[in-house]
Amino acid sequence: MNVNWNDTYDKWLMSESISEELKSQLRSMNEAEKEDAFYKSLEFGTGGMRGEIGPGTNRLNIYTIRKATTGLARYIETQGENAKQQGVVVAYDSRHKSPEFALEVAKTLGEYGIKTYVFEEPRPTPELSFAVRYLQAFAGIVITASHNPPEYNGYKVYGKDGAQLPPAAANHIVSYMDAIEDELVLPVKYEKELLEKSLLSYLGEEVDSAYLKELKTIQINRPETELKIVYTPLHGTGNKPVTAGLKAFGFDHVTVVKEQQLPDPNFSTVSSPNPEEHSAFGLAIQYGKEIDADLLMATDPDADRLGIAVKNHEGEYLVLTGNQTGALLLHYLLSQKEKTGKLPENSVMLKTIVTSDFGRAIADDFKVKTVNTLTGFKFIAEKIHEYNQAGNHTFQFGYEESYGYLIGDFVRDKDAVQAAIMSAEVAAHYKAQGKSLYDGLLELFEAYGYYKESLQSITLKGKQGIEQIQHILASFRSHPPKEIAGIKVEAIEDYQTSEKTSIETNTVESITLPKSNVLKFYLADGSWFAIRPSGTEPKVKFYFGVTGESLKESEEKNQLLQEKVMELVDDLLTVK
């Protein structure tokens, strides 16, 4: 952390390395903006870093990109000459500065003699994961800020297995980054020299075709009926792979939302390019009504998250939650594989600790083991690798409530392309029976319970915001609520101390997952809520889950739980 952020600001302003574009931005900053841009260095977490684009040590720019990449390069050097020759695959999305940052990665790695493969155009994050495995590279990097606002970009690092970097390797990179005294003078090669020395290659259709070939392997049934689909890539990278995948699966009636078809770093037609936000479906719903579509789908800018909407019994399009979509996908996969005798006895389903137990109930019905992981798909990928090595479980499906799903493990991250084409297959399956996907969801509720979950997020930016988030977590730890809405709190899981405490008996069980700043509270009626700071945004997230005897009851229970917990949070913020 910078001892004096003002001195660092002055150093950047006076440096001959800084472009005039960035110097102009530096001069236009007020005192609060200067402090936020320089009071610390942009943190490199387990998966990488994410932040607002602009000048400063706490911003994403070519200098912070070079610093992180130099850390990675020095780590690769310790792994031997073969690691350098295996190289690094780099993909990027449609955001501001993404192509420039991708090239900056190659120029930095080239300084260390490390081979780099850069996609010639924007590509989805899951295709980057696939490409690392396909090219047998040592690592991968994707330049993306997922569904963050337009002013953000990010940098995620992947290991040779195609999964986001595990903590041990990330810590090595951070140690090399910490040893860098001045990110403004780090050396880089020129693109022309890298091309001449074959240290830089551009990737295109070969990897696309190989990825599409693997996508075809997850298909279970060809559609028996015409399905009308509306799809929006929300100005991101999903358009080409999703439409190609749907066509390969036999879905010919696909209408793409024209206004959101092409990449646009400003995401001009939406307030947020996040399919979790129902407003992102605004144009898709208009299109859906015009053609009476069976299914609406939206992917986020880097196409690793999928949202879907289906008609309810009133004829209105309902945006499903990630938990609901995950339940539909899981039930279809397991039921169809069981039907054809292709469901191994050692099958496993993976989900995160804040994902609904709806999926667990379904998996139990098919005698499939459910394993919980921490939030973050890297932990799901870690388990897939572990099971493949040991041979003790066969992976069937992995998902998290935040719209991330994985079916075929040729990718080791959430994959909205896979999820989109499989969602279409599930919808076609129900339509062939004269049912909608909404009917299918109601059948699952009737069979397994009326599960209802929700999420509340509070954005708290800057240094003060970080302190407020820490205050909320610390308060719930030191003074946990004894009851919510008259319902007793029975147990508390604290993933930071790795302990689950039973309130009534005061007994403590160990939690075998890695440590994480998450609290989860279990209530006497089977409800639960969890608190977790976001690892990629200045947010603290509150997760809620209940079950009821009907849709109405579960919705009312969820609403009451949410209101009472957020009242406690409001009180904490008011006091602070």
Side-chain angles (χ1 to χ4, degrees):
M1 185 171 289
N2 294 313
V3 176
N4 190 326
W5 58 262
N6 238 319
D7 289 347
T8 313
Y9 167 85
D10 290 338
K11 187 179 97 172
W12 277 57
L13 189 61
M14 301 302 292
S15 173
E16 294 181 3
S17 303
I18 299 289
S19 68
E20 193 51 46
E21 176 193 2
L22 289 184
K23 283 189 177 182
S24 176
Q25 292 176 38
L26 286 167
R27 294 187 193 101
S28 68
M29 288 178 172
N30 60 37
E31 286 302 301
E33 289 168 338
K34 288 178 189 176
E35 181 179 13
D36 193 51
F38 286 96
Y39 84 96
K40 66 171 185 173
S41 293
L42 199 61
E43 291 177 10
F44 189 99
T46 304
M49 56 189 187
R50 190 180 296 186
E52 292 183 41
I53 303 166
T57 56
N58 192 32
R59 294 286 183 266
L60 213 69
N61 48 64
I62 63 169
Y63 308 104
T64 50
I65 290 283
R66 288 174 181 174
K67 182 178 180 180
T69 308
T70 298
L72 174 63
R74 291 177 180 173
Y75 170 66
I76 292 174
E77 277 191 319
T78 67
Q79 304 301 300
E81 193 61 33
N82 189 47
K84 292 168 66 173
Q85 291 172 5
Q86 286 176 304
V88 179
V89 186
V90 183
Y92 57 92
D93 68 4
S94 56
R95 288 180 174 272
H96 290 292
K97 303 288 184 182
S98 282
E100 293 93 327
F101 290 161
L103 182 57
E104 227 33 75
V105 169
K107 288 161 63 177
T108 305
L109 291 172
E111 184 71 27
Y112 292 81
I114 297 168
K115 171 81 174 174
T116 310
Y117 304 89
V118 180
F119 277 98
E120 59 191 4
E121 290 178 343
R123 289 297 191 282
T125 290
E127 190 169 343
L128 179 277
S129 172
F130 169 77
V132 171
R133 296 170 61 80
Y134 175 72
L135 295 169
Q136 297 182 315
F138 183 79
I141 293 170
V142 62
I143 306 296
T144 180
S146 189
H147 53 273
N148 278 49
E151 62 269 22
Y152 281 80
N153 213 328
Y155 177 105
K156 288 200 293 188
V157 185
Y158 289 71
K160 62 171 66 176
D161 62 344
Q164 287 185 47
L165 214 58
N171 290 340
H172 283 301
I173 292 171
V174 170
S175 69
Y176 289 116
M177 289 172 64
D178 289 345
I180 296 168
E181 293 184 4
D182 189 354
E183 61 272 294
L184 300 181
V185 295
L186 291 171
V188 295
K189 295 290 188 193
Y190 287 104
E191 179 186 14
K192 183 181 178 183
E193 182 184 351
L194 295 177
L195 290 167
E196 288 171 352
K197 292 183 176 179
S198 297
L199 284 172
L200 170 60
S201 298
Y202 284 102
L203 301 174
E205 289 185 9
E206 180 197 340
V207 178
D208 296 342
S209 298
Y211 175 63
L212 182 61
K213 184 179 178 182
E214 288 291 343
L215 279 176
K216 291 176 183 177
T217 66
I218 69 170
Q219 185 167 31
I220 298 175
N221 299 304
R222 297 284 292 183
E224 297 176 10
T225 183
E226 177 188 301
L227 192 75
K228 287 186 280 187
I229 299 169
V230 170
Y231 166 64
T232 172
L234 295 177
H235 303 295
T237 59
N239 185 41
K240 289 181 181 179
V242 169
T243 53
L246 287 169
K247 186 176 181 181
F249 266 49
F251 295 101
D252 299 319
H253 299 276
V254 180
T255 302
V256 179
V257 176
K258 190 175 181 181
E259 297 89 336
Q260 298 169 336
Q261 184 172 3
L262 298 177
D264 172 9
N266 293 315
F267 311 116
S268 306
T269 65
V270 289
S271 56
S272 169
N274 184 358
E276 288 183 85
E277 304 286 346
H278 291 192
S279 59
F281 276 87
L283 279 170
I285 288 172
Q286 288 181 30
Y287 273 65
K289 288 179 177 178
E290 287 172 12
I291 67 168
D292 191 28
D294 301 295
L295 178 65
L296 314 181
M297 301 193 292
T299 52
D300 68 342
D302 68 323
D304 63 352
R305 297 172 194 256
L306 172 81
I308 67 173
V310 296
K311 272 189 181 178
N312 61 19
H313 290 163
E314 286 72 48
E316 295 298 319
Y317 285 104
L318 175 73
V319 180
L320 301 189
T321 68
N323 287 309
Q324 291 167 349
T325 300
L328 283 161
L329 288 169
L330 176 64
H331 184 268
Y332 176 78
L333 289 164
L334 299 185
S335 63
Q336 294 302 302
K337 287 183 179 181
E338 184 183 67
K339 185 179 174 182
T340 55
K342 294 179 180 177
L343 186 63
E345 287 185 8
N346 67 351
S347 291
V348 66
M349 182 274 285
L350 300 165
K351 72 176 191 69
T352 69
I353 56 174
V354 294
T355 299
S356 172
D357 280 324
F358 196 2
R360 181 188 295 275
I362 293 168
D364 286 350
D365 191 30
F366 290 92
K367 298 179 175 57
V368 170
K369 183 181 175 69
T370 296
V371 173
N372 272 344
T373 72
L374 290 179
T375 304
F377 232 84
K378 58 182 170 285
F379 297 110
I380 290 176
E382 192 174 62
K383 282 292 181 185
I384 294 172
H385 180 72
E386 176 190 317
Y387 297 147
N388 284 352
Q389 293 292 104
N392 55 340
H393 289 299
T394 302
F395 171 74
Q396 295 299 331
F397 185 62
Y399 75 118
E400 55 187 6
E401 49 72 42
S402 55
Y403 285 47
Y405 321 94
L406 183 64
I407 299 152
D409 70 355
F410 52 90
V411 168
R412 295 296 171 88
D413 204 349
K414 50 187 177 285
D415 188 343
V417 185
Q418 289 190 39
I421 55 182
M422 187 53 70
S423 294
E425 184 175 321
V426 179
H429 167 76
Y430 281 109
K431 189 172 183 182
Q433 302 171 51
K435 301 172 185 175
S436 69
L437 206 50
Y438 183 71
D439 291 325
L441 179 61
L442 293 182
E443 286 181 3
L444 296 187
F445 280 145
E446 188 65 30
Y448 300 106
Y450 287 87
Y451 288 82
K452 175 68 179 177
E453 297 80 24
S454 60
L455 169 69
Q456 287 280 335
S457 296
I458 299 177
T459 299
L460 297 163
K461 289 189 174 183
K463 186 178 179 182
Q464 184 183 5
I466 292 172
E467 291 171 354
Q468 287 177 305
I469 291 171
Q470 290 170 345
H471 174 63
I472 291 169
L473 269 295
S475 297
F476 270 91
R477 268 196 181 92
S478 58
H479 299 94
K482 294 177 180 176
E483 56 87 21
I484 302 288
I487 309 296
K488 280 185 180 180
V489 174
E490 285 193 332
I492 303 170
E493 288 180 341
D494 188 338
Y495 288 85
Q496 197 165 71
T497 61
S498 298
E499 291 179 338
K500 180 175 182 176
T501 304
S502 174
I503 304 301
E504 195 165 321
T505 61
N506 203 31
T507 53
V508 178
E509 297 174 40
S510 294
I511 296 172
T512 57
L513 296 175
K515 292 184 185 296
S516 183
N517 190 14
V518 183
L519 288 168
K520 190 170 182 180
F521 298 82
Y522 293 89
L523 277 62
D525 67 346
S527 303
W528 60 269
F529 72 94
I531 310 172
R532 183 183 76 88
S534 170
T536 55
E537 301 170 84
K539 288 182 177 180
V540 57
K541 296 185 175 185
F542 302 87
Y543 303 82
F544 307 92
V546 305
T547 52
E549 296 297 317
S550 66
L551 272 179
K552 186 173 184 292
E553 184 189 331
S554 61
E555 285 170 1
E556 288 173 352
K557 283 177 70 174
N558 183 273
Q559 184 64 33
L560 183 61
L561 175 65
Q562 191 170 275
E563 284 175 5
K564 294 302 181 183
V565 171
M566 296 315 292
E567 282 175 12
L568 296 176
V569 176
D570 288 342
D571 289 343
L572 288 173
L573 290 174
T574 303
V575 171
K576 186 64 177 174

